[in-house]
């Protein structure tokens, strides 16, 4: 129904992302992004916004929230800055970490996290069940996926021990909160550079206990990160070179999709 209504208003749905709709009016363009029941509009000329809202409101009753300041817990400022400072502050308070000292790193590179650090005795396992580990890791994942790619690796690492956590794993989670406490004002900044689409990709070899390499890539548009991923490779590679090829393959697929979306 939404697609039909927007089509009647002259919008075209992008093939690369079915939640993004476009409309060209002479030399101007309107872009509408839809996420469930939240919509955001951006235009090359503001004169078209009011006209679109009037026509759309005739089809669906809209709640006009004015210029975008918040979306899905992410703060948006008009000079193209995105941050989750308020959300980070709320989860720090939720888990009672306000008294932690700020840290400059999200994970200690010299302290390996292993399955052997998980408890084996029933009483120790029962004791760790009272630790809000899954809730804390889930909260960190939302931050890592939203605006903070700098904690993605640390969050992925601690998420591997959710089924049977040990005290060392919980300390690693707290280390991420140490880092967020000192960096919660960091923002994604767009428009600082005029370089178009730029991507970076790497793999860490097989430094993890499970022997699977970790693939990581990030893509930036005009200096600001727009898409990133960090995950364990599905296969066990036999060399560093092979691990790099696997990482590059996944990044290349994302690059093709991003180019497709931007070209539309």
């Amino acid at each position: 129904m939404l697609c039909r209504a927007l089509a009647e208003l002259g919008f075209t749905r992008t093939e690369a992302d079915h939640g993004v709709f476009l409309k060209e009016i002479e030399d101007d363009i309107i872009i509408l992004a839809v996420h469930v029941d939240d919509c955001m509009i951006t235009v090359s000329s503001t004169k078209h916004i009011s006209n679109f809202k009037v026509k759309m409101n005739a089809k669906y009753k809209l709640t006009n929230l004015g210029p975008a300041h918040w979306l899905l817990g992410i703060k948006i400022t008009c000079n193209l800055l995105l941050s989750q400072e308020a959300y980070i502050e709320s989860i720090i308070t939720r888990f009672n970490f306000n008294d932690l000292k700020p840290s400059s790193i999200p994970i200690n590179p010299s302290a390996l996290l292993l399955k052997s650090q998980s408890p084996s005795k029933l009483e120790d396992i029962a004791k760790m069940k009272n630790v809000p580990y899954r809730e804390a890791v889930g909260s960190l994942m939302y931050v890592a996926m939203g605006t903070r790619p700098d904690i993605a690796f640390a969050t992925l690492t601690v998420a591997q021990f959710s089924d049977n956590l040990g005290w060392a794993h919980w300390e690693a989670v707290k280390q991420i909160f140490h880092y967020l406490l000192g960096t919660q004002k960091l923002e994604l900044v767009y428009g600082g550079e005029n370089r178009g689409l730029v991507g970076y990709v790497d793999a860490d070899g097989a430094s993890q206990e499970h022997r699977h390499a970790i693939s990581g890539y990030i893509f930036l548009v005009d200096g600001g990160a727009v898409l990133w991923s960090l995950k364990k490779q599905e296969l066990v590679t036999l060399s560093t070179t092979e691990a790099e090829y696997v990482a590059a393959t996944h990044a290349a697929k994302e690059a093709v999709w991003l180019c497709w979306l931007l070209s539309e």
Side-chain angles (χ1 to χ4, degrees):
M1 292 178 64
L2 179 62
C3 291
R4 192 182 312 120
L6 290 171
E8 291 173 357
L9 296 179
F11 281 83
T12 302
R13 186 174 69 178
T14 63
E15 291 299 321
D17 189 331
H18 286 182
V20 179
F21 298 82
L22 307 173
K23 181 179 180 179
E24 294 184 67
I25 305 175
E26 298 177 349
D27 294 331
D28 296 321
I29 186 172
I30 303 177
I31 304 174
L32 175 68
V34 181
H35 181 83
V36 192
D37 60 345
D38 294 307
C39 300
M40 179 176 287
I41 312 160
T42 182
V43 295
S44 55
S45 177
T46 55
K47 64 183 179 182
H48 299 298
I49 290 183
S50 298
N51 186 37
F52 166 76
K53 289 179 178 178
V54 169
K55 292 182 178 179
M56 195 64 182
N57 195 54
K59 296 179 177 293
Y60 298 101
K61 186 177 180 181
L62 302 181
T63 301
N64 183 5
L65 301 177
H69 297 295
W70 294 89
L71 183 69
L72 304 174
I74 297 174
K75 182 181 179 181
I76 306 167
T77 53
C78 58
N79 51 345
L80 293 180
L81 304 176
L82 300 183
S83 74
Q84 288 177 284
E85 180 183 353
Y87 179 78
I88 292 171
E89 186 174 348
S90 70
I91 62 175
I92 289 174
T93 302
R94 174 186 174 188
F95 297 106
N96 199 26
F97 288 150
N98 300 86
D99 296 332
L100 294 180
K101 294 182 179 180
S103 173
S104 60
I105 54 174
I107 190 170
N108 185 352
S110 63
L112 294 178
L113 298 179
L114 307 171
K115 287 187 176 181
S116 59
Q117 296 166 329
S118 300
S120 56
K121 296 181 180 180
L122 291 178
E123 57 267 28
D124 294 332
I125 295 175
K127 185 185 298 184
M128 295 306 296
K129 290 289 185 182
N130 296 324
V131 176
Y133 192 87
R134 290 176 181 269
E135 295 86 345
V137 172
S139 299
L140 292 172
M141 282 184 172
Y142 186 66
V143 178
M145 291 189 298
T147 60
R148 298 296 298 269
D150 52 332
I151 68 167
F153 177 78
T155 304
L156 168 73
T157 302
V158 297
Q160 299 175 60
F161 305 98
S162 297
D163 290 335
N164 187 17
L165 63 136
W167 194 254
H169 309 141
W170 178 236
E171 289 297 321
V173 169
K174 290 170 65 176
Q175 175 63 34
I176 304 175
F177 278 94
H178 277 279
Y179 176 72
L180 288 178
L181 193 64
T183 61
Q184 58 183 309
K185 295 184 181 296
L186 288 183
E187 301 170 311
L188 288 179
V189 181
Y190 300 95
E193 304 174 11
N194 187 19
R195 298 178 59 193
L197 178 63
V198 179
Y200 301 91
V201 58
D202 201 1
D204 81 331
S207 62
Q208 301 285 315
E209 182 183 28
H210 46 62
R211 311 311 298 167
H212 290 260
I214 304 295
S215 294
Y217 57 78
I218 187 166
F219 291 93
L220 301 89
V221 173
D222 289 346
V226 294
L227 187 150
W228 57 86
S229 176
L230 196 138
K231 60 180 63 177
K232 182 171 63 175
Q233 293 184 1
E234 295 180 359
L235 67 162
V236 177
T237 51
L238 301 180
S239 67
T240 302
T241 302
E242 187 180 357
E244 298 280 2
Y245 273 120
V246 172
T249 299
H250 291 298
K253 290 188 289 185
E254 293 293 347
V256 169
W257 176 80
L258 273 172
C259 290
W260 183 18
L261 178 64
L262 291 174
S263 66
E264 286 194 274

